Amino acid sequence: MAYSTQQKTIVSSVLETAERPLTPVEICELAKGEWPEIGIATVYRAIREYLKSGTVRLVDLPGASPHYEHSSRQHHHFFLCEACRKIFNLPRCVQGVDAIADKGFLVERHEIVLFGRCPACRPKKK
C-alpha cells in the first residue's frame, strides 16, 4: 500500500519542528501523534524521497545510528550523548577554526562534534 501525501507531510513536519536530529524510529513515534497508523516503512520511504530532493539531510556521526534533520537548519554542530546515543544541536559555531590548520591549507568547511552525557544522562550530584 502506498503512503499518502499527508503521511509524507507529517514526516516533514516532525523533522522541521524537531529541536535535534532524529532517528527513523523517533520520527515514526512522533508522527504517530498525528497519524497513529503510520509505519516505519512509510517513514523510511519519506526520508529517502526527502534526501533525494534535499529537504532532509543525514546526520552521520561516528558511533551513532543515522539521524536526520530538516535541511532548512543553518550551519551548526552536534553533541552526541554517549549514554543514550541521542544527538543534540549545539547553538553556536566555533569562530576562528581556520587558525587550527597549518599555513598553506585552505579550510572550506568544518564539522565539530562534542561527546559526553546529556542533562538526562549526567550523574546526579549528591
Side-chain angles (χ1 to χ4, degrees):
M1 175 173 130
Y3 67 102
S4 74
T5 302
Q6 186 174 1
Q7 289 172 307
K8 190 172 118 177
T9 301
I10 291 168
V11 169
S12 178
S13 176
V14 164
L15 286 164
E16 215 169 334
T17 58
E19 294 182 7
R20 62 179 188 80
L22 302 172
T23 65
V25 170
E26 291 172 323
I27 296 166
C28 190
E29 288 171 3
L30 291 168
K32 284 182 184 284
E34 294 288 321
W35 193 283
E37 298 83 24
I38 197 167
I40 193 70
T42 299
V43 171
Y44 275 108
R45 281 192 298 269
I47 289 169
R48 188 171 45 248
E49 188 172 322
Y50 284 135
L51 284 169
K52 285 181 187 175
S53 72
T55 305
V56 166
R57 71 174 150 241
L58 170 66
V59 177
D60 190 20
L61 302 181
S65 59
H67 285 63
Y68 301 89
E69 68 178 359
H70 201 272
S71 60
S72 63
R73 295 208 179 264
Q74 298 294 334
H75 172 76
H76 61 280
H77 302 291
F78 303 101
F79 181 97
L80 172 61
C81 178
E82 293 180 305
C84 67
R85 312 308 298 168
K86 290 180 181 174
I87 296 173
F88 298 89
N89 293 327
L90 295 175
R92 292 176 295 286
C93 182
V94 176
Q95 299 301 311
V97 75
D98 297 11
I100 295 171
D102 286 340
K103 185 177 179 181
F105 287 88
L106 172 64
V107 177
E108 295 180 341
R109 66 184 188 87
H110 65 270
E111 295 181 24
I112 297 172
V113 181
L114 302 179
F115 298 86
R117 295 186 185 267
C118 70
C121 296
R122 276 182 70 166
K124 306 296 181 225
K125 291 184 179 180
K126 292 182 181 181

